[in-house]
């Protein structure tokens, strides 16, 4: 009787515990499909990351070019301002020098005139008039 029970238990175990080849194949196909989907997802994510990196690098290059252009423009503006300031300062010095020369000429002319008047006064006093 023990043998019959053990044989029956073995038959039941084989009936319920055994998986058909078709089921194994289906499960294998499912696993292969899932693996294919994962690989595709990884490829897509990698492509997206590469694209994002390229875009970020291009943006950085563009920003660097723009910053360099702005720096050059700023330097040109500073040079222009310095040049204009120097030209204005030179014009002011020239005007001041001309005024000083004119003032000196006027003072010299006045001194000559004053000297002539003084000489004429002395001459008139000396001649008795």
């Amino acid at each position: 009787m023990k043998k019959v029970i053990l044989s029956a238990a073995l038959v039941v175990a084989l009936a319920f515990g055994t998986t058909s080849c078709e089921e194994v194949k289906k499960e294998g196909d499912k696993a292969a499909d899932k693996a294919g989907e994962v690989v595709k997802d990884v490829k897509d994510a990698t492509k997206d990351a590469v694209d994002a990196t390229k875009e970020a690098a291009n943006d950085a290059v563009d920003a660097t070019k723009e910053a360099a252009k702005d720096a050059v423009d700023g330097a040109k503006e500073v040079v222009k301002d310095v040049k204009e300031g120097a030209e204005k300062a030179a014009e002011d010095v020239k005007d001041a020098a001309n005024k000083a020369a004119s003032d000196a000429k006027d003072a010299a002319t006045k001194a000559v005139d004053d000297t002539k008047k003084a000489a004429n006064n002395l001459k008139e006093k000396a001649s008795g008039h």
Side-chain angles (χ1 to χ4, degrees):
M1 172 97 159
K2 255 183 173 181
K3 282 188 176 188
V4 173
I5 294 175
L6 286 174
S7 294
L10 183 60
V11 169
V12 169
L14 287 175
F16 289 112
T18 320
T19 315
S20 70
C21 289
E22 190 172 316
E23 286 179 42
V24 169
K25 184 176 184 290
K26 282 181 187 177
E27 291 300 318
D29 289 345
K30 283 182 187 177
D33 289 345
K34 283 284 185 195
E37 288 174 19
V38 168
V39 168
K40 183 179 179 284
D41 290 346
V42 168
K43 281 183 181 178
D44 290 345
T46 302
K47 183 181 179 301
D48 291 346
V50 167
D51 291 345
T53 302
K54 283 181 184 177
E55 186 175 335
N58 287 335
D59 290 348
V61 167
D62 292 344
T64 302
K65 285 179 183 178
E66 189 65 29
K69 181 182 175 289
D70 289 346
V72 168
D73 291 346
K76 286 180 182 177
E77 197 63 33
V78 167
V79 168
K80 178 183 165 199
D81 290 347
V82 168
K83 180 181 175 191
E84 288 173 358
E87 289 172 348
K88 172 99 171 79
E91 191 65 33
D92 291 347
V93 167
K94 179 181 167 188
D95 290 346
N98 286 338
K99 183 170 181 346
S102 176
D103 290 349
K105 180 181 174 187
D106 291 346
T109 301
K110 185 176 181 309
V112 168
D113 290 343
D114 289 346
T115 303
K116 283 183 184 178
K117 280 184 188 177
N120 283 337
N121 285 341
L122 284 175
K123 187 178 176 184
E124 284 179 13
K125 283 184 183 180
S127 61
H129 290 199

